[in-house]
């Protein structure tokens, strides 16, 4: 029984390590309503758990409709010492955050950003994984 428990612990640990290894790192900012029109869905409302993808992630519209789980991992400035809430949020890509104005990998809706970080931070370091 003890040997079986050790095997289970090793398998679970390996599974967690592999799932975390697939996360990508980047930065997140936020934008405020109105959320329409959007590059992917025009004037069709998509709710508030949404995001605009930076050019690299947007990939000429291929990111439209993709779902990402986003977790704050740290700060990008000295304004807010500990901006992360410890929560994750899953968002749907509905728009493009074009460069050079876009300052993030993912531009979250204000509602989604506030789940993972203090909005006073403005921009945070994130891990994100396609769901």
């Amino acid at each position: 029984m003890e040997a079986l428990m050790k095997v289970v612990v090793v398998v679970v640990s390996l599974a967690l390590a592999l799932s975390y290894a697939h996360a990508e790192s980047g930065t997140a900012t936020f934008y405020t309503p109105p959320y329409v029109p959007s590059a992917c869905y025009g004037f069709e409302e998509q709710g508030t758990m949404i995001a605009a993808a930076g050019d690299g992630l947007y990939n000429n519209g291929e990111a439209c409709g993709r779902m990402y789980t986003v977790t704050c991992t740290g700060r990008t400035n000295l304004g807010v010492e500990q901006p992360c809430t410890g929560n994750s949020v899953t968002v749907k890509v509905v728009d493009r955050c074009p460069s050079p104005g876009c300052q993030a990998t993912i531009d979250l809706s204000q509602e989604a950003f506030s789940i993972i970080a203090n909005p006073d931070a403005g921009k945070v370091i994130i891990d994100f994984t396609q769901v």
Side-chain angles (χ1 to χ4, degrees):
M1 184 67 168
E2 187 176 329
L4 178 60
M5 190 59 100
K6 286 182 181 179
V7 169
V8 169
V9 168
V10 169
V11 169
V12 169
S13 298
L14 183 58
L16 288 172
L18 289 175
S19 67
Y20 185 75
H22 292 293
E24 297 183 56
S25 294
T27 57
T29 52
F30 69 90
Y31 63 115
T32 58
Y35 298 129
V36 292
S38 67
C40 301
Y41 297 97
F43 285 94
E44 187 179 323
E45 290 280 345
Q46 297 296 311
T48 58
M49 293 301 113
I50 56 173
D55 284 336
L57 193 60
Y58 187 71
N59 198 18
N60 294 318
E62 288 183 25
C64 289
R66 287 185 185 158
M67 304 290 287
Y68 289 92
T69 297
V70 183
T71 306
C72 176
T73 58
R75 65 186 183 155
T76 61
N77 60 47
L78 300 177
V80 178
E81 293 256 344
Q82 296 179 350
C84 302
T85 64
N87 297 317
S88 296
V89 67
T90 299
V91 294
K92 179 180 182 179
V93 173
V94 300
D95 210 347
R96 175 178 173 231
C97 184
S99 58
C102 188
Q103 299 296 311
T105 309
I106 298 177
D107 196 23
L108 300 170
S109 67
Q110 183 176 16
E111 294 86 347
F113 189 93
S114 67
I115 290 173
I116 66 164
N118 180 340
D120 290 341
K123 182 178 183 179
V124 293
I125 301 168
I126 58 165
D127 282 342
F128 62 99
T129 307
Q130 186 176 345
V131 179

